[in-house]
Structures are given as structure tokens and as C-alpha cells.
Short mmCIF file of all heavy atoms in Angstrom, two decimals:
data_model
loop_
_atom_site.label_atom_id
_atom_site.label_comp_id
_atom_site.label_asym_id
_atom_site.label_seq_id
_atom_site.Cartn_x
_atom_site.Cartn_y
_atom_site.Cartn_z
N ILE Q 1 -24.85 15.60 -6.66
CA ILE Q 1 -24.27 14.99 -7.87
C ILE Q 1 -22.90 14.43 -7.49
O ILE Q 1 -22.03 15.16 -7.01
CB ILE Q 1 -24.17 16.00 -9.02
CG1 ILE Q 1 -25.58 16.39 -9.47
CG2 ILE Q 1 -23.36 15.41 -10.18
CD1 ILE Q 1 -25.64 17.47 -10.50
N HIS Q 2 -22.74 13.13 -7.68
CA HIS Q 2 -21.49 12.46 -7.33
C HIS Q 2 -20.72 12.11 -8.61
O HIS Q 2 -21.17 11.27 -9.38
CB HIS Q 2 -21.78 11.19 -6.51
CG HIS Q 2 -22.46 11.48 -5.23
ND1 HIS Q 2 -23.80 11.24 -5.02
CD2 HIS Q 2 -21.99 12.02 -4.08
CE1 HIS Q 2 -24.12 11.60 -3.79
NE2 HIS Q 2 -23.05 12.08 -3.20
N LYS Q 3 -19.60 12.78 -8.77
CA LYS Q 3 -18.73 12.50 -9.92
C LYS Q 3 -17.45 11.87 -9.41
O LYS Q 3 -16.90 12.29 -8.39
CB LYS Q 3 -18.41 13.80 -10.67
CG LYS Q 3 -19.60 14.37 -11.42
CD LYS Q 3 -19.19 15.55 -12.25
CE LYS Q 3 -20.39 16.10 -13.03
NZ LYS Q 3 -20.06 17.33 -13.75
N LYS Q 4 -16.99 10.91 -10.16
CA LYS Q 4 -15.78 10.20 -9.75
C LYS Q 4 -14.58 11.14 -9.82
O LYS Q 4 -14.31 11.73 -10.85
CB LYS Q 4 -15.58 8.98 -10.66
CG LYS Q 4 -14.58 7.99 -10.10
CD LYS Q 4 -14.63 6.65 -10.79
CE LYS Q 4 -13.97 6.73 -12.14
NZ LYS Q 4 -13.53 5.42 -12.63
N GLN Q 5 -13.89 11.27 -8.69
CA GLN Q 5 -12.69 12.11 -8.60
C GLN Q 5 -11.41 11.30 -8.80
O GLN Q 5 -10.34 11.85 -8.99
CB GLN Q 5 -12.63 12.80 -7.23
CG GLN Q 5 -13.91 13.54 -6.84
CD GLN Q 5 -14.19 14.72 -7.76
OE1 GLN Q 5 -13.30 15.48 -8.08
NE2 GLN Q 5 -15.44 14.85 -8.17
N GLY Q 6 -11.54 10.00 -8.71
CA GLY Q 6 -10.39 9.10 -8.86
C GLY Q 6 -10.89 7.67 -8.87
O GLY Q 6 -12.09 7.42 -8.72
N ASP Q 7 -10.01 6.72 -9.05
CA ASP Q 7 -10.41 5.32 -9.06
C ASP Q 7 -10.69 4.82 -7.65
O ASP Q 7 -10.12 5.32 -6.68
CB ASP Q 7 -9.30 4.45 -9.69
CG ASP Q 7 -9.21 4.66 -11.19
OD1 ASP Q 7 -10.25 4.98 -11.81
OD2 ASP Q 7 -8.10 4.52 -11.75
N ILE Q 8 -11.57 3.83 -7.57
CA ILE Q 8 -11.78 3.13 -6.30
C ILE Q 8 -10.58 2.21 -6.14
O ILE Q 8 -10.42 1.24 -6.89
CB ILE Q 8 -13.10 2.32 -6.32
CG1 ILE Q 8 -14.29 3.26 -6.52
CG2 ILE Q 8 -13.25 1.53 -5.02
CD1 ILE Q 8 -15.61 2.53 -6.74
N GLU Q 9 -9.74 2.53 -5.19
CA GLU Q 9 -8.50 1.78 -5.03
C GLU Q 9 -8.63 0.77 -3.90
O GLU Q 9 -8.73 1.15 -2.74
CB GLU Q 9 -7.33 2.74 -4.77
CG GLU Q 9 -7.04 3.62 -5.97
CD GLU Q 9 -5.83 4.51 -5.77
OE1 GLU Q 9 -5.08 4.29 -4.80
OE2 GLU Q 9 -5.65 5.43 -6.59
N LEU Q 10 -8.63 -0.49 -4.27
CA LEU Q 10 -8.70 -1.56 -3.27
C LEU Q 10 -8.16 -2.83 -3.89
O LEU Q 10 -8.62 -3.27 -4.94
CB LEU Q 10 -10.14 -1.78 -2.81
CG LEU Q 10 -10.30 -2.72 -1.62
CD1 LEU Q 10 -9.64 -2.15 -0.37
CD2 LEU Q 10 -11.76 -3.00 -1.35
N LEU Q 11 -7.16 -3.38 -3.24
CA LEU Q 11 -6.56 -4.63 -3.72
C LEU Q 11 -6.89 -5.75 -2.74
O LEU Q 11 -6.72 -5.59 -1.53
CB LEU Q 11 -5.03 -4.49 -3.85
CG LEU Q 11 -4.54 -3.43 -4.85
CD1 LEU Q 11 -3.03 -3.28 -4.76
CD2 LEU Q 11 -4.96 -3.80 -6.27
N ALA Q 12 -7.36 -6.87 -3.27
CA ALA Q 12 -7.77 -8.00 -2.42
C ALA Q 12 -6.62 -8.46 -1.53
O ALA Q 12 -6.84 -8.83 -0.38
CB ALA Q 12 -8.27 -9.14 -3.29
N ASP Q 13 -5.39 -8.42 -2.05
CA ASP Q 13 -4.28 -8.96 -1.25
C ASP Q 13 -3.82 -8.02 -0.13
O ASP Q 13 -2.95 -8.37 0.66
CB ASP Q 13 -3.10 -9.37 -2.14
CG ASP Q 13 -2.57 -8.22 -3.00
OD1 ASP Q 13 -3.02 -7.08 -2.81
OD2 ASP Q 13 -1.70 -8.49 -3.86
N THR Q 14 -4.39 -6.80 -0.06
CA THR Q 14 -4.05 -5.91 1.06
C THR Q 14 -5.15 -5.90 2.12
O THR Q 14 -5.06 -5.18 3.11
CB THR Q 14 -3.84 -4.46 0.57
OG1 THR Q 14 -5.08 -3.95 0.03
CG2 THR Q 14 -2.75 -4.38 -0.46
N MET Q 15 -6.21 -6.70 1.92
CA MET Q 15 -7.37 -6.67 2.81
C MET Q 15 -7.00 -6.97 4.26
O MET Q 15 -7.45 -6.30 5.17
CB MET Q 15 -8.44 -7.65 2.32
CG MET Q 15 -9.34 -7.08 1.25
SD MET Q 15 -10.26 -5.65 1.85
CE MET Q 15 -11.16 -6.37 3.20
N LYS Q 16 -6.21 -8.00 4.49
CA LYS Q 16 -5.87 -8.38 5.87
C LYS Q 16 -5.17 -7.24 6.59
O LYS Q 16 -5.46 -6.94 7.75
CB LYS Q 16 -4.98 -9.63 5.88
CG LYS Q 16 -5.70 -10.91 5.55
CD LYS Q 16 -6.60 -11.33 6.70
CE LYS Q 16 -7.38 -12.60 6.37
NZ LYS Q 16 -8.63 -12.68 7.13
N LYS Q 17 -4.26 -6.58 5.88
CA LYS Q 17 -3.52 -5.46 6.47
C LYS Q 17 -4.47 -4.30 6.79
O LYS Q 17 -4.41 -3.71 7.87
CB LYS Q 17 -2.42 -5.00 5.50
CG LYS Q 17 -1.55 -3.89 6.03
CD LYS Q 17 -0.38 -3.65 5.08
CE LYS Q 17 0.53 -2.55 5.57
NZ LYS Q 17 0.06 -1.20 5.29
N LEU Q 18 -5.37 -3.99 5.85
CA LEU Q 18 -6.33 -2.91 6.07
C LEU Q 18 -7.28 -3.22 7.22
O LEU Q 18 -7.58 -2.36 8.03
CB LEU Q 18 -7.12 -2.64 4.78
CG LEU Q 18 -6.38 -1.97 3.63
CD1 LEU Q 18 -7.22 -2.00 2.38
CD2 LEU Q 18 -6.02 -0.53 4.00
N GLU Q 19 -7.73 -4.47 7.28
CA GLU Q 19 -8.64 -4.88 8.36
C GLU Q 19 -7.95 -4.71 9.71
O GLU Q 19 -8.57 -4.24 10.67
CB GLU Q 19 -9.09 -6.33 8.18
CG GLU Q 19 -10.18 -6.49 7.14
CD GLU Q 19 -10.62 -7.94 6.96
OE1 GLU Q 19 -10.19 -8.81 7.75
OE2 GLU Q 19 -11.39 -8.20 6.03
N GLU Q 20 -6.68 -5.07 9.79
CA GLU Q 20 -5.93 -4.94 11.05
C GLU Q 20 -5.77 -3.47 11.44
O GLU Q 20 -5.93 -3.11 12.60
CB GLU Q 20 -4.56 -5.61 10.90
CG GLU Q 20 -3.79 -5.78 12.19
CD GLU Q 20 -4.50 -6.66 13.21
OE1 GLU Q 20 -5.22 -7.61 12.83
OE2 GLU Q 20 -4.33 -6.37 14.41
N GLU Q 21 -5.50 -2.62 10.44
CA GLU Q 21 -5.35 -1.18 10.71
C GLU Q 21 -6.65 -0.59 11.25
O GLU Q 21 -6.65 0.16 12.23
CB GLU Q 21 -4.94 -0.44 9.44
CG GLU Q 21 -3.49 -0.67 9.04
CD GLU Q 21 -3.15 -0.07 7.68
OE1 GLU Q 21 -3.99 0.64 7.09
OE2 GLU Q 21 -2.02 -0.33 7.20
N TRP Q 22 -7.79 -0.93 10.60
CA TRP Q 22 -9.08 -0.40 11.05
C TRP Q 22 -9.47 -0.97 12.41
O TRP Q 22 -10.07 -0.28 13.23
CB TRP Q 22 -10.17 -0.68 10.01
CG TRP Q 22 -10.15 0.31 8.89
CD1 TRP Q 22 -9.66 0.10 7.63
CD2 TRP Q 22 -10.62 1.66 8.90
NE1 TRP Q 22 -9.80 1.24 6.87
CE2 TRP Q 22 -10.39 2.20 7.63
CE3 TRP Q 22 -11.21 2.46 9.89
CZ2 TRP Q 22 -10.73 3.51 7.30
CZ3 TRP Q 22 -11.55 3.76 9.56
CH2 TRP Q 22 -11.31 4.28 8.29
N LYS Q 23 -9.13 -2.23 12.66
CA LYS Q 23 -9.42 -2.85 13.95
C LYS Q 23 -8.66 -2.10 15.05
O LYS Q 23 -9.22 -1.80 16.11
CB LYS Q 23 -9.02 -4.33 13.94
CG LYS Q 23 -9.33 -5.05 15.25
CD LYS Q 23 -8.85 -6.48 15.22
CE LYS Q 23 -9.13 -7.19 16.52
NZ LYS Q 23 -8.57 -6.52 17.71
N ASN Q 24 -7.38 -1.79 14.80
CA ASN Q 24 -6.58 -1.07 15.79
C ASN Q 24 -7.14 0.33 16.06
O ASN Q 24 -7.20 0.78 17.20
CB ASN Q 24 -5.11 -0.99 15.35
CG ASN Q 24 -4.43 -2.34 15.39
OD1 ASN Q 24 -4.86 -3.24 16.11
ND2 ASN Q 24 -3.37 -2.50 14.61
N LYS Q 25 -7.57 1.01 14.97
CA LYS Q 25 -8.17 2.34 15.14
C LYS Q 25 -9.42 2.27 16.00
O LYS Q 25 -9.63 3.09 16.90
CB LYS Q 25 -8.54 2.94 13.76
CG LYS Q 25 -7.39 3.46 12.96
CD LYS Q 25 -7.90 4.03 11.64
CE LYS Q 25 -6.76 4.39 10.71
NZ LYS Q 25 -7.24 4.89 9.42
N GLN Q 26 -10.24 1.27 15.71
CA GLN Q 26 -11.50 1.13 16.46
C GLN Q 26 -11.22 0.77 17.92
O GLN Q 26 -11.85 1.31 18.83
CB GLN Q 26 -12.39 0.07 15.79
CG GLN Q 26 -13.80 0.12 16.30
CD GLN Q 26 -14.78 -0.68 15.46
OE1 GLN Q 26 -15.95 -0.64 15.77
NE2 GLN Q 26 -14.38 -1.38 14.43
N ASP Q 27 -10.26 -0.13 18.16
CA ASP Q 27 -9.89 -0.51 19.53
C ASP Q 27 -9.39 0.70 20.31
O ASP Q 27 -9.76 0.90 21.46
CB ASP Q 27 -8.82 -1.61 19.52
CG ASP Q 27 -9.37 -2.96 19.06
OD1 ASP Q 27 -10.61 -3.12 19.02
OD2 ASP Q 27 -8.55 -3.85 18.75
N ASP Q 28 -8.52 1.51 19.68
CA ASP Q 28 -7.99 2.71 20.34
C ASP Q 28 -9.12 3.67 20.70
O ASP Q 28 -9.15 4.23 21.80
CB ASP Q 28 -6.98 3.43 19.43
CG ASP Q 28 -5.66 2.68 19.30
OD1 ASP Q 28 -5.41 1.78 20.13
OD2 ASP Q 28 -4.89 3.01 18.38
N LEU Q 29 -10.03 3.86 19.77
CA LEU Q 29 -11.14 4.79 20.00
C LEU Q 29 -12.07 4.27 21.10
O LEU Q 29 -12.53 5.04 21.94
CB LEU Q 29 -11.91 4.99 18.70
CG LEU Q 29 -12.94 6.13 18.67
CD1 LEU Q 29 -12.33 7.45 19.11
CD2 LEU Q 29 -13.53 6.26 17.28
N GLU Q 30 -12.31 2.96 21.13
CA GLU Q 30 -13.15 2.39 22.19
C GLU Q 30 -12.50 2.59 23.55
O GLU Q 30 -13.19 2.89 24.53
CB GLU Q 30 -13.38 0.89 21.93
CG GLU Q 30 -14.48 0.65 20.91
CD GLU Q 30 -14.72 -0.83 20.64
OE1 GLU Q 30 -13.87 -1.67 21.03
OE2 GLU Q 30 -15.75 -1.14 20.02
N ARG Q 31 -11.16 2.45 23.63
CA ARG Q 31 -10.47 2.69 24.90
C ARG Q 31 -10.60 4.15 25.33
O ARG Q 31 -10.81 4.45 26.50
CB ARG Q 31 -8.99 2.30 24.77
CG ARG Q 31 -8.74 0.81 24.91
CD ARG Q 31 -7.27 0.49 25.09
NE ARG Q 31 -6.51 0.72 23.86
CZ ARG Q 31 -6.36 -0.18 22.89
NH1 ARG Q 31 -6.91 -1.38 23.01
NH2 ARG Q 31 -5.66 0.10 21.82
N LYS Q 32 -10.49 5.07 24.36
CA LYS Q 32 -10.62 6.50 24.68
C LYS Q 32 -12.03 6.82 25.18
O LYS Q 32 -12.20 7.55 26.16
CB LYS Q 32 -10.30 7.35 23.45
CG LYS Q 32 -8.82 7.42 23.14
CD LYS Q 32 -8.56 8.18 21.87
CE LYS Q 32 -7.08 8.11 21.50
NZ LYS Q 32 -6.80 8.62 20.15
N ILE Q 33 -13.04 6.26 24.50
CA ILE Q 33 -14.42 6.50 24.91
C ILE Q 33 -14.66 5.92 26.31
O ILE Q 33 -15.28 6.56 27.15
CB ILE Q 33 -15.42 5.91 23.88
CG1 ILE Q 33 -15.40 6.76 22.60
CG2 ILE Q 33 -16.84 5.86 24.45
CD1 ILE Q 33 -16.19 6.19 21.45
N GLN Q 34 -14.15 4.72 26.56
CA GLN Q 34 -14.29 4.09 27.87
C GLN Q 34 -13.64 4.95 28.95
O GLN Q 34 -14.19 5.15 30.02
CB GLN Q 34 -13.67 2.68 27.85
CG GLN Q 34 -13.81 1.92 29.15
CD GLN Q 34 -15.24 1.63 29.52
OE1 GLN Q 34 -16.05 1.33 28.65
NE2 GLN Q 34 -15.58 1.72 30.78
N CYS Q 35 -12.45 5.47 28.62
CA CYS Q 35 -11.74 6.33 29.57
C CYS Q 35 -12.55 7.59 29.86
O CYS Q 35 -12.66 8.02 31.01
CB CYS Q 35 -10.37 6.68 29.00
SG CYS Q 35 -9.35 7.66 30.11
N LEU Q 36 -13.14 8.18 28.82
CA LEU Q 36 -13.96 9.38 29.01
C LEU Q 36 -15.19 9.07 29.85
O LEU Q 36 -15.56 9.86 30.72
CB LEU Q 36 -14.40 9.94 27.65
CG LEU Q 36 -13.33 10.68 26.84
CD1 LEU Q 36 -13.88 11.03 25.46
CD2 LEU Q 36 -12.88 11.94 27.56
N GLU Q 37 -15.81 7.91 29.62
CA GLU Q 37 -16.98 7.52 30.42
C GLU Q 37 -16.61 7.40 31.89
O GLU Q 37 -17.33 7.87 32.76
CB GLU Q 37 -17.55 6.19 29.91
CG GLU Q 37 -18.32 6.31 28.61
CD GLU Q 37 -18.73 4.95 28.05
OE1 GLU Q 37 -18.35 3.91 28.63
OE2 GLU Q 37 -19.43 4.94 27.02
N GLU Q 38 -15.44 6.79 32.14
CA GLU Q 38 -14.99 6.63 33.53
C GLU Q 38 -14.70 7.99 34.16
O GLU Q 38 -15.06 8.25 35.31
CB GLU Q 38 -13.75 5.74 33.59
CG GLU Q 38 -14.05 4.28 33.32
CD GLU Q 38 -12.80 3.43 33.15
OE1 GLU Q 38 -11.68 3.96 33.34
OE2 GLU Q 38 -12.96 2.24 32.82
#
């Protein structure tokens, strides 16, 4: 059972900033995984 605990918070004008943050997180993680593979 999924009950709303708060509002879905997302503003269109912050999208570019959020995309950049998630891109950086993913890039960092890919580098770590690559390092572990090596």
C-alpha cells in the first residue's frame, strides 16, 4: 500500500541542474566500477 508521505517536488526550471548532478554521480560511479574491474 503506497500512501503519499509528501508532495512530489520537481520544478521544471531546476531540471538542467538536477540532470547535471545525476550525470556527475553516474560518471563518478562508472569510474569507480572501471577501477574495480581493473
